[in-house]
Amino acid sequence: MRVLAASLFAASHAQIDPATVVEIGEAIYQAVKDNQPVIDTAVDWAGAVPKGVTAWTQLENWQGPAQSDGFYIEFKNKIGMKLTKFSWRFVWKYGGDMNGVGKYVTQAGIDIDTAYAYLSEHLNVEVQSLKPVNYGTSANPVGGVDVQVSVSSHGLFEKTTKVCTMTVKGDGTSALGDCAQGKFGLAPSNESPPAIDPATVVEIGKTLYKAIVDNQPTLDTTVDWAGAVPKGVADWTQLENWQGPAQSDLYSAEFKNFLGMKLARFSWRFVWKYGGDLGGVGKYVTQAGIDIDSSSAFLAEHLDVDVKSVKPVNYGDADTPVGGVDIQVSVASHGLKNATKVCTMTVKGDGTSTLGACDAGTFSLGDSAVVV
């Protein structure tokens, strides 16, 4: 049995060739996808190791990580406005050897410094590793691999991609290859932007979202809002001269049992920004939603609140449009009994508002199974 084990050990090591360098790890992966960093350094890396080695932990005496100087790629429009920017460093561990032979590479990739994109733009970054090479000799191998960073920007402007490559080596050194870094201008896209019609009001933002889920506030005011803007406008920052936010009076929906004991309560204000115009034309709405004042639920009860935006309308005329949208709050309490109350307010681009059908106040759940 000992003879067999020794033979298997010798056979496995006989298959390892320190002079021939191969790649391990991820050959290609996304570092930034649609403006959001998605890199996972636990798995997104490459290595240059002896042929026959499948895991970098088979080697010993690793050092580092080493890191390069900082690099960046920035895209600007013709007037010099920054549209997207990505900055990073190349990183890698080095010096790993096989029983004292060779110097190899593992966990080679990038460390992100910044990833920025203007609202209209889309930033994507892809990292690829290629060309594992022995930069030493057969007797003293030095593994190396190229790490290539591809930075792409597109949106209102043509899609443009710039590439930067660095060779990282097992002796801790590196060599910069072809590298487009710095600032670059973007040409306008050949695609015609959609025609903008100030008199036709459309909705942007979220049409439905949760403000409370099972007694817990889940509202994220950075994304949970609606707007009423001209047709053809996809981003409220295309408009100017915003005012506010405006806010309504306080509203509440409270549920009690037949003994008058409070089971659940939710109070809020409607909020919205107003007055945004397109080249001096119109008054529109953005970031319309609610601001939570308080929420509570008795132990046996469950409070849920949905917010819905509906009916974008031009409340002005074709020459002086005033955008508006309905914000509908649905407050539901359930546990021993179930009940839902709804309150709607129309918010407008001139800063005014109109209360629609609104169940606000205190309600008894009584003995019925459902109260609407």
Side-chain angles (χ1 to χ4, degrees), residues 69-88:
D69 293 333
F71 293 84
Y72 79 96
I73 293 174
E74 182 176 312
F75 297 100
K76 294 191 172 188
N77 63 14
K78 64 181 180 180
I79 62 173
M81 174 184 171
K82 181 170 69 177
L83 298 174
T84 54
K85 181 180 181 180
F86 181 70
S87 60
W88 76 96

Side-chain angles (χ1 to χ4, degrees), residues 15-26 45-60 62 92-98 101-108 129-135 137 141-146 168-171:
Q15 296 173 358
I16 295 176
D17 179 6
T20 303
V21 175
V22 298
E23 185 177 337
I24 61 171
E26 292 278 334
W45 54 264
V49 299
K51 181 180 179 181
V53 169
T54 56
W56 65 271
T57 53
Q58 293 176 248
L59 307 184
E60 301 176 311
W62 289 107
W92 70 104
K93 288 185 177 178
Y94 61 95
D97 63 66
M98 172 64 74
V101 176
K103 294 178 183 294
Y104 301 96
V105 172
T106 190
Q107 295 183 357
S129 53
L130 62 168
K131 295 199 302 184
V133 172
N134 179 1
Y135 288 94
T137 64
V142 177
V145 66
D146 287 2
V168 298
K169 301 177 183 179
D171 59 4

Side-chain angles (χ1 to χ4, degrees), residues 197-209 223-239 242 283-289 307-315 322-329 344-347:
D197 178 7
T200 302
V201 174
V202 297
E203 185 175 345
I204 60 170
K206 282 194 178 181
T207 58
L208 178 65
Y209 52 88
V223 295
D224 294 337
W225 53 266
V229 299
K231 181 180 180 181
V233 169
D235 191 320
W236 65 271
T237 59
Q238 293 176 247
L239 306 184
W242 289 104
K283 295 180 182 291
Y284 301 95
V285 171
T286 191
Q287 296 184 354
V307 181
K308 184 178 182 181
S309 54
V310 288
K311 295 198 307 184
V313 173
N314 178 1
Y315 288 94
V322 176
V325 65
D326 287 3
I327 305 299
Q328 185 181 89
V329 179
T344 304
M345 177 169 279
T346 303
V347 297

Side-chain angles (χ1 to χ4, degrees), residues 2 109 113 149 226 257 260 282 292 336 343:
R2 289 181 179 176
D113 180 43
V149 179
N257 64 14
I292 297 174
L336 299 175
C343 184

Side-chain angles (χ1 to χ4, degrees), residues 230-253:
K231 181 180 180 181
V233 169
D235 191 320
W236 65 271
T237 59
Q238 293 176 247
L239 306 184
E240 300 175 311
N241 301 314
W242 289 104
Q243 301 175 60
Q247 66 176 19
S248 71
D249 293 333
L250 188 65
Y251 294 86
S252 67

Side-chain angles (χ1 to χ4, degrees), residues 92-317:
W92 70 104
K93 288 185 177 178
Y94 61 95
D97 63 66
M98 172 64 74
N99 298 321
V101 176
K103 294 178 183 294
Y104 301 96
V105 172
T106 190
Q107 295 183 357
I110 65 169
D111 183 24
I112 296 175
D113 180 43
T114 59
Y116 167 82
Y118 184 66
L119 291 170
S120 62
E121 297 303 299
H122 301 273
L123 176 69
N124 293 287
V125 178
E126 185 177 86
V127 181
Q128 185 175 4
S129 53
L130 62 168
K131 295 199 302 184
V133 172
N134 179 1
Y135 288 94
T137 64
S138 295
N140 297 291
V142 177
V145 66
D146 287 2
V147 178
Q148 184 181 88
V149 179
S150 300
V151 183
S152 298
S153 179
H154 66 96
L156 298 178
F157 294 80
E158 285 184 350
K159 182 177 181 179
T160 305
T161 300
K162 299 293 179 180
V163 179
C164 183
T165 304
M166 178 168 279
T167 303
V168 298
K169 301 177 183 179
D171 59 4
T173 65
S174 61
L176 186 62
D178 293 335
C179 183
Q181 61 165 323
K183 299 177 182 179
F184 303 91
L186 294 182
S189 173
N190 291 327
E191 297 180 4
S192 299
I196 295 177
D197 178 7
T200 302
V201 174
V202 297
E203 185 175 345
I204 60 170
K206 282 194 178 181
T207 58
L208 178 65
Y209 52 88
K210 299 282 189 181
I212 302 286
V213 176
D214 200 15
N215 306 337
Q216 299 301 314
T218 56
L219 182 69
D220 181 353
T221 55
T222 62
V223 295
D224 294 337
W225 53 266
V229 299
K231 181 180 180 181
V233 169
D235 191 320
W236 65 271
T237 59
Q238 293 176 247
L239 306 184
E240 300 175 311
N241 301 314
W242 289 104
Q243 301 175 60
Q247 66 176 19
S248 71
D249 293 333
L250 188 65
Y251 294 86
S252 67
E254 181 174 304
F255 301 94
K256 293 187 175 184
N257 64 14
F258 68 97
L259 296 174
M261 174 184 173
K262 182 173 71 176
L263 299 176
R265 187 177 190 274
F266 180 70
S267 60
W268 75 96
R269 285 181 171 87
F270 295 95
V271 293
W272 69 103
K273 287 186 177 179
Y274 62 95
D277 63 68
L278 183 67
V281 176
K283 295 180 182 291
Y284 301 95
V285 171
T286 191
Q287 296 184 354
I290 65 169
D291 182 26
I292 297 174
D293 177 63
S294 66
S295 63
S296 62
F298 185 65
L299 292 174
E301 295 303 302
H302 302 274
L303 177 69
D304 295 288
V305 179
D306 289 346
V307 181
K308 184 178 182 181
S309 54
V310 288
K311 295 198 307 184
V313 173
N314 178 1
Y315 288 94
D317 54 40

